[in-house]
Amino acid sequence: MSSVMELTASQESHDEGKNERLDNFLNMDPTLSNSLSLSADTFLKAAMTLKNQVVEVTWKGRGSGGGGGGGGGLGTGIDPTVYTGLLGTAFTCLRSYEATGNWQDLVLSAEIVDTCLSVARASPRHVTFLCGRGGVYSLGAVVANYMGDHQRLEFFLNLFIEVAQEKALPVGPEEGGFGMSYDLLYGRAGFLWAALFLNKHLQGEVVPNDVLMPIVDAVLAAGRTGASDLPACPLMYRWHGTRYWGAANGLAGILHVLLHFPLSEGYAGEVKGTLRHMMCNRFPHSGNYPSSEGNPRDKLVQWSHGATSMAITLAKASQVYPNDREFRDAAIEAGEVVWKNGLVKKVGLADGIAGNTYAFLSLYRLTGETIYKDRAKAFASFLYHNKRKLAGIEHGGGFRADDEYSLFQGLAGTACLWFDMLAPHKSKFPGYEL
């Protein structure tokens, strides 16, 4: 047990020694593994407590009246997004409801969506799940469906279909009327993910493929144009002039979305060829992935840049193309990179330990091998012992309603992870996996 105490006391160091100790725990003695990997009941209690803190800080604590009461006084300056804003709290409440069946979580999620709705409709530029109206409308529809509120469900579905019919979405390789990119955070891939989220939860083609496939075609056409000077890479995209590879603004996120659609043989070949280009251009010594095309810095191991998003995307590719064993092997290799280097200094889904843990959960679902569930438990347990310091929250001080409690940059993502630890075989990275 002293080794566990040594581990939790050393979170500020950023070297491979931490991961070597974790590896020893899991390989050397099952009792040590169990002591580090907390029980499901502990994760459940921790997730519920943290979810309540997230709600207190981001929702109840920001009412203009200064006391109590459901956030009704929230001003128009709020961030209404899933990524770093209030809608991430609604998503966390929904995940809590799915894990516990607590009806009040569902009611609270609906209330928060309503507040985000007015702000999002006044700022129509972005239409993605993580950073735009697509998130408000699709999440609102899913919550309404769970509540059995058919009028509310139709209201949000109609709003979403209006966005789906925007002429800027399927215009082809040139920029759309919104100045729209193709990435997951702000672009067309992010809108397509919102539609996939809706269709999965409502169990049908609520947003039909004849609406979505022209957008898919436009994303592929843009990728071909962007890769015109890269003979070995079929698809490439730029975001603010840089050819990013990661999930948030680059290839990993766009390809992950495309893998959910029924692609022709030619289109599927382009997606697989792009993944092979990335696999062939990994850093040879570490196995990590560059943050952008040709970037020589082997530094970032996280979801937004690096091996974590590639492990998840390659795992999806392996499911879609099971005869292409190379994708499964590369997913496992990317997971090894995360295991060796993934105990970073942040907590969040985008750039932190919570997001990195989902690489192991994805590999567990892909392979069924318990080592990946054990590794996920080890990372999740490390977060349990170190979350406040990693989040930058001082002991004894008041909670701060900034990024520290957001879904992708802060502790809301950790709460979602802990809920997912209750049933690892059904886990899914928020806003990325379906």
Side-chain angles (χ1 to χ4, degrees):
M1 293 298 293
S2 61
S3 296
V4 177
M5 296 301 294
E6 177 187 350
L7 172 67
T8 58
S10 66
Q11 75 279 348
E12 299 218 45
S13 67
H14 191 247
D15 56 78
E16 292 186 11
K18 292 185 299 185
N19 302 82
E20 290 170 3
R21 285 195 292 276
L22 284 171
D23 224 357
N24 289 336
F25 288 158
L26 294 180
N27 294 331
M28 181 174 60
D29 186 339
T31 61
L32 287 174
S33 174
N34 291 338
S35 71
L36 181 63
S37 301
L38 305 178
S39 69
D41 186 59
T42 300
F43 279 128
L44 175 59
K45 291 177 180 177
M48 292 174 65
T49 298
L50 187 52
K51 180 266 299 180
N52 290 337
Q53 291 175 354
V54 169
V55 170
E56 190 67 33
V57 172
T58 64
W59 176 241
K60 295 180 180 178
R62 296 187 68 166
S64 62
L74 286 168
T76 57
I78 65 168
D79 175 355
T81 70
V82 170
Y83 192 73
T84 54
L86 189 57
L87 199 62
T89 301
F91 186 98
T92 306
C93 291
L94 175 61
R95 183 59 60 88
S96 179
Y97 168 77
E98 291 174 331
T100 68
N102 183 348
W103 183 259
Q104 186 54 41
D105 282 329
L106 205 56
V107 172
L108 186 55
S109 185
E111 291 176 357
I112 296 172
V113 167
D114 285 345
T115 294
C116 294
L117 175 64
S118 60
V119 180
R121 294 181 81 177
S123 305
R125 180 182 178 190
H126 296 308
V127 298
T128 64
F129 183 83
L130 293 178
C131 291
R133 288 178 289 150
V136 179
Y137 302 160
S138 60
L139 192 60
V142 168
V143 171
N145 188 57
Y146 273 126
M147 298 179 78
D149 188 335
H150 299 293
Q151 182 176 358
R152 183 181 175 87
L153 171 61
E154 287 299 316
F155 171 73
F156 281 110
L157 283 180
N158 288 336
L159 289 174
F160 193 91
I161 294 298
E162 285 180 16
V163 176
Q165 294 171 343
E166 291 279 3
K167 294 180 179 179
L169 283 166
V171 295
E174 67 273 14
E175 290 295 315
F178 302 133
M180 192 182 301
S181 59
Y182 297 89
D183 61 310
L184 191 70
L185 275 192
Y186 303 113
R188 295 167 217 218
F191 172 78
L192 290 170
W193 197 93
L196 291 167
F197 177 78
L198 256 182
N199 286 346
K200 178 181 179 179
H201 280 274
L202 273 60
Q203 299 181 342
E205 281 194 22
V206 178
V207 189
N209 266 348
D210 62 1
V211 172
L212 298 179
M213 289 309 295
I215 305 172
V216 171
D217 292 342
V219 173
L220 288 160
R224 286 192 291 273
T225 299
S228 59
D229 61 337
L230 296 170
C233 184
L235 304 172
M236 185 59 69
Y237 304 84
R238 293 180 185 269
W239 190 76
H240 287 205
T242 300
R243 294 167 164 176
Y244 287 107
W245 278 27
N249 299 115
L251 278 174
I254 296 169
L255 295 175
H256 191 262
V257 170
L258 292 175
L259 285 165
H260 288 80
F261 287 93
L263 302 179
S264 68
E265 185 176 349
Y267 285 174
E270 291 178 337
V271 169
K272 290 194 283 186
T274 304
L275 287 171
R276 292 183 181 116
H277 169 78
M278 299 172 80
M279 291 155 54
C280 289
N281 287 278
R282 288 174 285 182
F283 293 113
H285 297 294
S286 70
N288 192 25
Y289 287 78
S291 61
S292 59
E293 182 73 21
N295 192 321
R297 297 182 65 198
D298 182 3
K299 182 179 180 181
L300 303 175
V301 178
Q302 54 204 52
W303 175 81
S304 58
H305 304 289
T308 294
S309 59
M310 285 303 297
I312 297 171
T313 295
L314 287 164
K316 178 63 180 177
S318 180
Q319 292 168 347
V320 175
Y321 308 117
N323 294 329
D324 293 295
R325 179 77 187 197
E326 61 192 307
F327 297 134
R328 179 187 175 97
D329 293 342
I332 290 171
E333 290 164 7
E336 292 301 312
V337 176
V338 180
W339 179 242
K340 292 176 182 177
N341 303 285
L343 282 182
V344 294
K345 294 183 178 181
K346 295 182 180 181
V347 298
L349 293 174
D351 304 309
I353 297 172
N356 290 350
T357 306
Y358 277 98
F360 308 129
L361 292 171
S362 185
L363 288 170
Y364 174 63
R365 296 195 316 276
L366 175 67
T367 68
E369 295 179 10
T370 57
I371 186 174
Y372 298 115
K373 181 169 67 172
D374 291 341
R375 288 180 172 184
K377 286 182 179 179
F379 270 39
S381 299
F382 185 85
L383 270 175
Y384 177 84
H385 292 294
N386 297 278
K387 63 183 184 299
R388 289 179 63 83
K389 228 168 198 182
L390 289 166
I393 299 168
E394 295 295 328
H395 290 284
F399 294 123
R400 297 183 295 176
D402 297 313
D403 283 352
E404 288 87 347
Y405 286 88
S406 72
L407 185 61
F408 269 72
Q409 296 292 338
L411 288 167
T414 297
C416 288
L417 170 65
W418 288 341
F419 282 125
D420 272 331
M421 294 307 301
L422 305 178
H425 63 288
K426 297 192 294 185
S427 63
K428 46 191 179 291
F429 192 117
Y432 200 55
E433 294 181 295
L434 290 160

